[in-house]
Amino acid sequence: MELSQILKSAVEKQASDIFIVSGLPLSFKVNHVIEPQSEEKLFPDATEALIREIYSLANERDIDRFLDCGDDDFSFSLPGVSRFRVSTYKQRSSLAAVIRVVTFDLPDPEKLGLPSVMMDLALRKKGMVLVTGPAGSGKSTSLACMIDRINQTRNSHIITLEDPIEFLHRHKKSIVSQREIPNDTQSYVTALRAALRQSPDVILLGEMRDYETINTALTAAETGHLVFSTLHTVGASSTIDRIIDAFPPNQQAQIRIQLSMVLQAVVSQQLIPTVNGGVVAAFEIMICNGAIRNLIRESKTHQIDTVIFSSASDGMITMDNSILNFYKQGIISAQDAVLYSTNPELMSKKVR
């Protein structure tokens, strides 16, 4: 099968990922289940031919760099079909790829079940909003929805720094400058420092990977910009701890004060299988209020969950309450409610 036919088939079947790995048949991931598309296994020469075709479709991207280092990430579009985010890699000395399907159309927050309190974070004028969760939990999709809300409602300059670019934003009420690393700029830190001189109102930082990026992002939020970013953490308290732990011990007290001032919200999300074979997004939402800012400053992040639990009237919700609500509505099974909860012991008692 030609690559273009494979890509079209994946879009038609609403697959989220395509797996091209030698020793296995071509496979699609549909609703978090990997499904072989035939009984015929791919051999190394077949996977290499398909991967060379991918590089050809991606504006004749240079494959030699990938062949030298063994890893590459990029995205490309197939007109009239979809956008695709590609991760190519070597395994057992053969070439392999996982292709993420990204639709041209921006997602609808209501269809995705994004809470209104989460979408309202797009109304903030400055500070830092973090969307966290494991890989493949829909963080990029949620951020794309929030950026689109700003684009529809505000006259602003939005700069996105991504590796690679997933969703394409058209200029609506705002100007949207989308920069891809390393094609448009050298690194997150270089692009972020440059962005501060480009009159931004909103900055989307694809990922806060290291101390330098986090430090620059905090400075951007402190100087009156609205900064969105992601981390691979689950839960507000572990997210805050991860940021602070990225700094040397002698700077951590100062960073706690800085973070307590600029942090606006932490949204954690994960995708949970439903009883009817789909997936549903469960959210923990922490909006920074006076009590939470004090806990961050005083290094008492372990108490944040209690504040979230008692602040439901402000739109906050814990991850376990979100999961429990889905279980009570019959959307997810008791087994998955326990498996995805942050406190499995307590959840197992509740679902009994």
Side-chain angles (χ1 to χ4, degrees), residues 128 130-135 137 139 143 205-210 214 229-234 238-240 242-243 266-268:
M128 181 178 279
L130 299 175
V131 178
T132 75
S137 60
K139 299 185 294 294
L143 284 169
L205 183 63
E207 193 181 331
M208 297 210 295
R209 289 181 177 171
D210 51 40
I214 295 169
S229 193
T230 70
L231 282 162
H232 292 294
T233 48
V234 177
S238 59
T239 300
I240 291 161
R242 172 74 65 85
I243 291 170
V266 177
V267 177
S268 289

Side-chain angles (χ1 to χ4, degrees), residues 7 53-62 65 72-79 82-88 98-104 160-168 178-184:
L7 299 176
E53 211 177 331
I54 293 169
Y55 276 80
S56 174
L57 277 178
N59 298 321
E60 299 292 340
R61 186 179 173 87
D62 181 16
R65 190 173 63 175
D72 197 9
D73 287 293
F74 57 95
S75 57
F76 71 95
S77 298
L78 193 62
S82 190
R83 270 182 70 73
F84 302 92
R85 190 181 84 187
V86 185
S87 178
T88 50
V98 178
I99 306 172
R100 169 68 52 89
V101 180
V102 183
T103 58
F104 282 127
T160 77
L161 313 174
E162 300 166 81
D163 180 17
I165 290 171
E166 287 191 46
F167 294 96
L168 298 178
Q178 292 188 264
R179 308 192 70 198
E180 185 169 79
I181 294 150
N183 294 334
D184 300 321

Side-chain angles (χ1 to χ4, degrees), residues 19-294:
F19 294 87
I20 300 170
V21 183
S22 67
L24 289 169
L26 174 77
S27 301
F28 295 167
K29 185 185 271 189
V30 182
N31 286 331
H32 279 235
V33 177
I34 297 172
E35 301 172 352
Q37 297 305 296
S38 69
E39 292 182 6
E40 187 183 336
K41 291 182 179 178
L42 294 170
F43 290 101
D45 57 343
T47 62
E48 181 169 344
L50 283 170
I51 285 162
R52 286 187 178 277
E53 211 177 331
I54 293 169
Y55 276 80
S56 174
L57 277 178
N59 298 321
E60 299 292 340
R61 186 179 173 87
D62 181 16
I63 196 172
D64 292 334
R65 190 173 63 175
F66 160 54
L67 295 174
D68 288 341
C69 71
D71 291 285
D72 197 9
D73 287 293
F74 57 95
S75 57
F76 71 95
S77 298
L78 193 62
V81 181
S82 190
R83 270 182 70 73
F84 302 92
R85 190 181 84 187
V86 185
S87 178
T88 50
Y89 59 99
K90 288 182 181 177
Q91 64 96 34
R92 296 184 184 178
S93 301
S94 66
L95 306 187
V98 178
I99 306 172
R100 169 68 52 89
V101 180
V102 183
T103 58
F104 282 127
D105 296 326
L106 287 166
D108 182 343
E110 285 188 23
K111 285 183 182 173
L112 294 174
L114 301 190
S116 59
V117 67
M118 178 179 171
M119 292 304 297
D120 287 345
L121 295 171
L123 304 174
R124 305 280 169 128
K125 297 293 184 186
K126 61 181 182 178
M128 181 178 279
V129 174
L130 299 175
V131 178
T132 75
S137 60
K139 299 185 294 294
S140 300
T141 308
S142 294
L143 284 169
C145 289
M146 288 196 267
I147 293 297
D148 190 49
R149 174 65 58 88
I150 295 169
N151 194 11
Q152 288 178 32
T153 57
R154 280 166 58 182
N155 181 263
S156 304
H157 183 202
I158 303 165
I159 297 178
T160 77
L161 313 174
E162 300 166 81
D163 180 17
I165 290 171
E166 287 191 46
F167 294 96
L168 298 178
H169 294 272
R170 296 182 182 90
H171 307 296
K172 294 175 184 173
K173 274 198 169 182
S174 294
I175 296 171
V176 188
S177 302
Q178 292 188 264
R179 308 192 70 198
E180 185 169 79
I181 294 150
N183 294 334
D184 300 321
T185 180
Q186 193 177 0
S187 67
Y188 276 123
V189 175
T190 306
L192 191 51
R193 285 179 180 153
L196 297 177
R197 299 188 295 274
Q198 291 154 7
S199 187
D201 300 290
V202 179
I203 300 170
L204 167 64
L205 183 63
E207 193 181 331
M208 297 210 295
R209 289 181 177 171
D210 51 40
Y211 152 77
E212 226 180 341
T213 314
I214 295 169
N215 196 23
T216 313
L218 284 171
T219 304
E222 204 172 35
T223 51
H225 305 93
L226 179 59
V227 178
F228 291 94
S229 193
T230 70
L231 282 162
H232 292 294
T233 48
V234 177
S237 55
S238 59
T239 300
I240 291 161
D241 289 339
R242 172 74 65 85
I243 291 170
I244 290 159
D245 289 344
F247 289 83
N250 63 325
Q251 290 183 32
Q252 289 182 2
Q254 174 58 35
I255 293 305
R256 284 187 184 281
I257 294 167
Q258 198 177 357
L259 190 60
S260 72
M261 289 161 59
V262 303
L263 191 62
Q264 295 286 354
V266 177
V267 177
S268 289
Q269 60 184 74
Q270 49 182 341
L271 296 177
I272 303 175
T274 62
V275 291
N276 62 7
V279 289
V280 68
F283 296 94
E284 175 181 286
I285 300 173
M286 181 203 80
I287 312 288
C288 275
N289 57 19
I292 287 170
R293 293 188 196 283
N294 282 335

